[in-house]
Amino acid sequence: MSSTYQGRRLPNPDEEVFDQGLGFDLGTLLGRRQVLRAFGVGAAAFGLAACGTESSDSASPASSSSTSSGEIPDETAGPYPGDGSNGPDVLEQSGIVRSDIRSSFGDSTTTAEGVPMTLELQIKDLANGGPAFAGVAVYVWHCDRSGGYSMYSDGLTGENYLRGVQVADDSGKVTFTSIFPACYTGRWPHVHFEVYPGQADITDSTKAIATSQVALPKDTCDTVYKQSGYEASVTNLAQVTLDSDNVFGDDNGKSQLGTVTGDVSSGYTVSLSVGVDTRTTPAAGAAPAAGGGPGGGGTPPSGGPGGTPPSGAPGGDGPGGTPPSGAPPAA
């Protein structure tokens, strides 16, 4: 007789499978329940409810995206928000309300190069039961393919690309045309965003009702970072995981991991459902715990932002090193 059953070692290899004891039987039953849940089969339909080992929570979907109806985790805006909270304020500038954020506007028309990316955020109003949160204004920003942030990094203080605002439509959706961001030292690849009650509120960062980040799936990052211009991201990504990241590490980015479709040649679409609850008090700008992320040292990719946050910045998000040239003075 085999000493294993379904890959599990038998406690009594000389006995039949049904004579292995209660502990082994329960383990086998639990394994079957997990298989059934994966196929969406109710446990009660198979007489398993009496076992008393099933959680009342449903199984999480096998997806790289959050389908949770819960509130999006409140995260740091980091040291490079450009929302006026630490100096530079793109939200006061005419032209910030736009869907295509690849180019700077105003005094510069520089276009950020990289693999095309469309970002879709579906905002839900949890305070009213979870319907579409139409009319809210969403501000997004992220680094370029070299790891640099416009308005802050060396050589980019005169740029404002990869920043923009959209107002959610009747379905609660906002869509941005952008490029896939880099992975810089100490941080998992991500996109920042803030949600405001409406377009009229974006000039006051204290009115944000949610501040969070979108995490990008590793398989997509691995593919994108093989492309020209992303060379430094290959090394940087190898040094960080979702678990070690100081923003996503508390739950491996479970509720912030975007769903991605597309390919390198035609571009990718990154989608995330964002639950916003106006009954809770936002803690935007609070720095994440030390360790495992920017601010913990390391050298950013060429052109990337410095690490110690600019004086007066929220902190906790930028790569290690000296502040970028042109960083805002202390507030």
Side-chain angles (χ1 to χ4, degrees):
M1 176 183 293
S2 171
S3 61
T4 62
Y5 176 70
Q6 294 184 348
R8 301 172 59 224
R9 183 174 296 278
L10 296 174
N12 303 303
D14 295 328
E15 302 292 336
E16 296 294 332
V17 171
F18 50 80
D19 287 330
Q20 298 301 311
L22 179 60
F24 184 86
D25 292 343
L26 288 175
T28 301
L29 186 59
L30 285 173
R32 289 172 179 170
R33 290 166 75 98
Q34 292 168 349
V35 170
L36 293 175
R37 287 197 309 181
F39 285 92
V41 180
F46 288 83
L48 299 177
C51 199
T53 56
E54 178 74 350
S55 167
S56 61
D57 295 330
S58 60
S60 299
S63 170
S64 60
S65 154
S66 167
T67 56
S68 171
S69 59
E71 185 176 18
I72 193 77
D74 206 32
E75 307 288 12
T76 176
Y80 313 114
D83 61 3
S85 61
N86 68 350
D89 191 352
V90 74
L91 299 180
E92 292 275 5
Q93 300 179 23
S94 174
I96 187 59
V97 180
R98 59 196 185 135
S99 60
D100 190 334
I101 64 174
R102 292 173 294 182
S103 298
S104 291
F105 60 90
D107 294 334
S108 174
T109 56
T110 302
T111 298
E113 297 182 350
V115 172
M117 179 186 77
T118 298
L119 177 67
E120 297 179 345
L121 301 179
Q122 192 86 36
I123 316 300
K124 297 181 179 180
D125 182 4
L126 300 186
N128 290 297
F133 212 155
V136 293
V138 182
Y139 167 46
V140 304
W141 72 97
H142 62 81
C143 70
D144 60 22
R145 69 176 180 181
S146 296
Y149 281 87
S150 66
M151 306 179 74
Y152 292 91
S153 300
D154 286 340
L156 300 181
T157 56
E159 304 295 346
N160 52 29
Y161 59 51
L162 306 183
R163 298 177 185 273
V165 172
Q166 279 285 281
V167 176
D169 62 18
D170 289 343
S171 67
K173 180 184 287 188
V174 292
T175 302
F176 296 89
T177 300
S178 191
I179 58 101
F180 204 91
C183 176
Y184 53 79
T185 304
R187 274 307 316 276
W188 188 263
H190 61 282
V191 176
H192 291 268
F193 66 91
E194 292 174 335
V195 181
Y196 290 84
Q199 184 176 333
D201 302 296
I202 64 174
T203 56
D204 184 351
S205 63
T206 65
K207 292 185 177 180
I209 56 178
T211 301
S212 197
Q213 301 178 26
V214 181
L216 302 174
K218 185 179 187 302
D219 55 350
T220 306
C221 293
D222 286 336
T223 301
V224 171
Y225 296 159
K226 293 177 183 177
Q227 310 308 307
S228 176
Y230 288 96
E231 289 80 5
S233 292
V234 176
T235 300
N236 295 329
L237 185 63
Q239 298 172 348
V240 66
T241 65
L242 276 168
D243 182 60
S244 69
D245 185 76
N246 67 346
V247 169
F248 304 122
D250 56 348
D251 65 352
N252 290 323
K254 178 181 178 181
S255 57
Q256 294 160 277
L257 194 61
T259 295
V260 179
T261 58
D263 53 50
V264 169
S265 58
S266 61
Y268 291 95
T269 296
V270 178
S271 304
L272 183 71
S273 176
V274 178
V276 175
D277 195 337
T278 53
R279 297 167 296 184
T280 62
T281 302
T299 303
S302 175
T308 304
S311 178
D317 185 70
T322 58
S325 173

